[in-house]
Amino acid sequence: MRILFVCLGNICRSPTAEAVMRDLTVKAGLADEITVDSAGTGDWHIGYPPDSRAVEAGAKRGLTVSGTARQIAPSDFENFDLIVAMDRSNHADLIELAGKEDPRIRLLREFGPDDELDVPDPYFGGEDGFDEVISLIDRHCRVLLENVSPGVQP
Ligand code: 4NP
């Protein structure tokens, strides 16, 4: 199972989701079965590391938010089993890039109980936003893990 998390810039939400999900798969003993990656729909931050506020929010939880921002590529639609968008705008962009609706293109907040569907973009806010976003991502990645591997415990 290969999971790609996608946001706009690939410097805040999607690298955070990648780090959270990787940690959950390692703790569940599924690191070899579930691989994770992240990408952005936009090209502004290609080659940059994650935003320092995302790195800091991860470090407070013992997580390493790392990587180099990249833009989603056509091959990603072949290479991943699930492409998980952070918000509805990312989701719409992904459907457009794919050229069709695809059940593999999902929203992270579909995996959770609440009605809200967007992981808010923390980029233009303060540090608190990053703490809230990583908590939100963590809650939903746990549900996502349960969906792809029923019964496992991180
Ligand atoms: P991300 O956050 O999509 O979660 O990586 C953003 C990063 C940069 C910008 C917007 C959102 N930007 O407009 O530069």
Side-chain angles (χ1 to χ4, degrees):
M1 164 68 65
R2 294 155 298 179
I3 303 175
L4 181 68
F5 294 100
V6 177
C7 62
L8 184 60
N10 193 211
I11 56 168
C12 300
R13 293 165 292 174
S14 62
T16 298
E18 179 188 344
V20 166
M21 192 67 178
R22 182 168 295 120
D23 181 63
L24 292 174
T25 62
V26 168
K27 287 178 175 155
L30 292 173
D32 291 338
E33 281 79 18
I34 302 174
T35 60
V36 291
D37 192 6
S38 66
T41 56
D43 62 2
W44 309 283
H45 302 283
I46 291 172
Y48 282 83
D51 188 290
S52 58
R53 296 165 295 175
V55 174
E56 180 63 25
K60 282 189 211 163
R61 290 165 166 259
L63 299 178
T64 304
V65 179
S66 61
T68 304
R70 71 173 182 90
Q71 191 173 26
I72 185 139
S75 56
D76 289 320
F77 294 99
E78 313 302 324
N79 293 339
F80 288 90
D81 302 299
L82 264 185
I83 300 178
V84 182
M86 292 296 123
D87 65 29
R88 285 168 292 174
S89 167
N90 309 144
H91 186 263
D93 288 343
L94 287 169
I95 302 282
E96 195 173 327
L97 287 167
K100 58 180 178 347
E101 295 270 352
D102 186 323
R104 294 173 303 161
I105 303 175
R106 308 293 290 273
L107 276 162
L108 182 63
R109 289 190 77 170
E110 283 176 47
F111 300 94
D114 36 48
D115 292 334
E116 179 58 53
L117 285 176
D118 294 336
V119 176
D121 182 352
Y123 185 69
F124 294 106
E127 263 172 46
D128 287 0
F130 284 77
D131 290 324
E132 284 162 25
V133 156
I134 197 168
S135 297
L136 191 62
I137 286 173
D138 180 76
R139 282 207 305 280
H140 291 83
C141 279
R142 285 171 193 274
V143 180
L144 172 58
L145 180 64
E146 172 65 26
N147 269 259
V148 298
S149 288
V152 301
Q153 295 293 323

